[in-house]
Amino acid sequence: QVQLVESGGGLVQPGGSLRLSCAASGIIFRFNAMGWYRQAPGTQRELVASITTGGSTNYADSVKGRFTVSRDNAKNTVYLQMNGLKAEDTAIYYCNSVPFYPPWGQGTQVTVSS
């Protein structure tokens, strides 16, 4: 059974940083590209960062240069380092494979506000 557990969110001031973690179980983690998705109220869930099995990364234009995705295959964990946070980064952040498959985890709330 697939389980994805996100953590590391919180309230941060504009310009601040957070590091999100996602522990995956029940999937052959090292064989899957993984991604971080986010969903703000009233919007569709969007993919903001992805990392292939070989470590190649890709980012949405809105986060390029500020976010860094990484993975530790030994720990079945994917990370998202977020720097220079902006109010528009406020959302619930989820991880999943790329392309994604159900189920989703509970996500972790990131709120950027002064």
Side-chain angles (χ1 to χ4, degrees), residues 3-4 11 13 17 19 29 32 37 39 42 53-54 62 77-78 87 91 93 98 101 104 106 108 113:
Q3 188 174 19
L4 300 165
L11 173 64
Q13 292 186 343
S17 298
R19 188 190 192 213
F29 180 85
N32 283 269
Y37 303 76
Q39 187 169 21
T53 55
S62 58
T77 301
V78 61
Y93 284 71
V98 179
Y101 295 100
W104 291 89
Q106 84 288 348
T108 186
S113 175

Side-chain angles (χ1 to χ4, degrees), residues 21-40:
S21 299
C22 171
S25 61
I27 65 173
I28 306 175
F29 180 85
R30 66 185 182 276
F31 293 154
N32 283 269
M34 296 296 296
W36 281 96
Y37 303 76
R38 70 184 181 187
Q39 187 169 21

Side-chain angles (χ1 to χ4, degrees), residues 9-89:
L11 173 64
V12 63
Q13 292 186 343
S17 298
L18 285 173
R19 188 190 192 213
L20 308 184
S21 299
C22 171
S25 61
I27 65 173
I28 306 175
F29 180 85
R30 66 185 182 276
F31 293 154
N32 283 269
M34 296 296 296
W36 281 96
Y37 303 76
R38 70 184 181 187
Q39 187 169 21
T43 69
Q44 290 190 332
R45 197 167 299 184
E46 62 171 342
L47 177 66
V48 296
S50 61
I51 183 166
T52 67
T53 55
S56 296
T57 58
N58 197 33
Y59 301 93
D61 287 344
S62 58
V63 307
K64 199 170 294 184
R66 300 186 297 120
F67 290 11
T68 302
V69 59
S70 60
R71 64 191 294 161
D72 185 336
N73 289 339
K75 296 182 178 180
N76 281 10
T77 301
V78 61
Y79 305 97
L80 186 67
Q81 178 67 44
M82 306 187 296
N83 299 327
L85 283 162
K86 304 176 181 180
E88 51 264 43
D89 295 318

